[in-house]
Amino acid sequence: MNSVKLAEMDWMSYRDRVKDGECTILLPVGAIEQHGPHMSLNPDVLIPEHIACRVAERSGNMLVAPPIAYGYKSQVKSGGGNFFPGTTCVSGRSLEEYAYDVILAYVAHGNREFIVVNGHFENSMFLVEAADRAVEHARLSGIEIKVVLLSYWDFISATTIEKVFPEGFSGWAVEHGGVLETSIMLKIHPELVDMSKAVDIPPAEFPPYDVFPPDPAWVPSSGTLSSPAKATAEKGKWILDECIAGICRTFG
Ligand code: ZN
Ligand code: MN
């Protein structure tokens, strides 16, 4: 009862909740992607879904759609690349069409406001295109909709980064499977993390270009781009608290 996950509602309760367009739909979008030997394949799905649910609970006027779990192809310099077993990605075209179709299906139920909560860096521009085209399509049908697109990590302040990385921050680019994501997962899904398997490596270094086909030798063999060794659930709580509060303050 009173779930913020719309898929857990019966259709009549859902209809009555959204038909006037007063409810905001939060749509988490992630990826199925290796995150090192110490963590499951789905942090990019579970983290934005968790944040969306906490935001919706606080707002009272939002519902969370089932996440789009598959994301755009993992890239060597941001996600370790598309060649690890388990990393299961779709083309930009597929992601764009899928997100576009899902948004417009919710528009047909009466919804007018959306917040797409992204959890996988590589998705970004395909979600921009989906949002832009959905807004335009609705407009041509005489319906005004608004789509906010955010990536949760953009709500993490420099102050929190300093607190989480007292010895210095190696930068966002190498955070894949590192302290940030691992800390959040230790907080929300400790059963999906095994710190005894965490590989302690220096931050990956890459040339200032990409090459196709990508070269697996560029990527640390563990699959993470920096060390998760200093991750803790407490750091995860600091990060989550700030993201959730920031999103609520901006859109609540
Ligand atoms: Zn990730
Ligand atoms: Mn990712």
Side-chain angles (χ1 to χ4, degrees):
M1 180 50 204
N2 279 343
S3 174
V4 293
K5 294 183 177 179
L6 68 83
E8 295 180 1
M9 300 171 76
D10 69 84
W11 76 270
M12 291 184 186
S13 305
Y14 167 75
R15 174 197 60 194
D16 294 346
R17 197 60 202 283
V18 306
K19 64 175 192 273
D20 297 329
E22 308 280 289
C23 192
T24 298
I25 301 295
L26 293 155
L27 175 61
V29 186
I32 302 300
E33 179 183 49
Q34 68 76 25
H35 277 73
H38 68 293
M39 203 150 62
S40 59
L41 297 169
N42 57 355
D44 293 4
V45 183
L46 296 177
I47 296 171
E49 186 182 31
H50 175 90
I51 290 171
C53 287
R54 299 296 86 75
V55 169
E57 283 160 8
R58 283 203 207 173
S59 138
N61 201 26
M62 297 181 177
L63 288 174
V64 181
I68 295 179
Y70 295 100
Y72 179 63
K73 293 167 194 163
S74 178
Q75 296 298 299
V76 167
K77 290 157 66 177
S78 49
N82 207 23
F83 29 64
F84 286 84
T87 295
T88 314
C89 299
V90 299
S91 65
R93 191 170 66 240
S94 295
L95 177 65
E96 180 194 323
E97 288 299 325
Y98 200 138
Y100 171 85
D101 285 351
V102 167
I103 291 169
L104 287 177
Y106 286 121
V107 170
H109 308 154
N111 295 292
R112 298 293 180 262
E113 298 226 356
F114 298 85
I115 304 177
V116 178
V117 185
N118 182 33
H120 174 67
F121 171 77
E122 289 87 333
N123 290 342
S124 303
M125 282 304 159
F126 303 104
L127 297 177
V128 167
E129 189 64 5
D132 191 50
R133 285 179 49 224
V135 166
E136 181 63 7
H137 181 90
R139 195 183 64 78
L140 292 173
S141 321
I143 301 171
E144 296 295 326
I145 68 167
K146 178 177 159 189
V147 182
V148 168
L149 173 56
L150 64 86
S151 294
Y152 71 85
W153 51 83
D154 288 331
F155 284 79
I156 306 173
S157 67
T159 313
T160 298
I161 289 295
E162 271 173 40
K163 221 168 129 188
V164 171
F165 297 93
E167 290 145 34
F169 183 44
S170 314
W172 290 106
V174 293
E175 258 313 304
H176 175 75
V179 169
L180 281 170
E181 283 180 308
T182 304
S183 293
I184 298 173
M185 286 294 283
L186 281 169
K187 176 65 189 163
I188 65 176
H189 284 288
E191 77 283 6
L192 300 180
V193 186
D194 180 352
M195 288 304 286
S196 73
K197 293 185 182 167
V199 179
D200 196 8
I201 49 160
E205 285 180 38
F206 297 111
Y209 58 89
D210 296 293
V211 65
F212 298 89
D215 182 353
W218 285 21
V219 184
S221 59
S222 68
T224 70
L225 300 184
S226 57
S227 173
K230 296 210 161 75
T232 65
E234 188 188 27
K235 292 176 181 173
K237 183 179 178 339
W238 297 338
I239 297 161
L240 284 169
D241 285 352
E242 182 167 53
C243 292
I244 293 162
I247 296 169
C248 282
R249 201 165 44 241
T250 314
F251 306 107

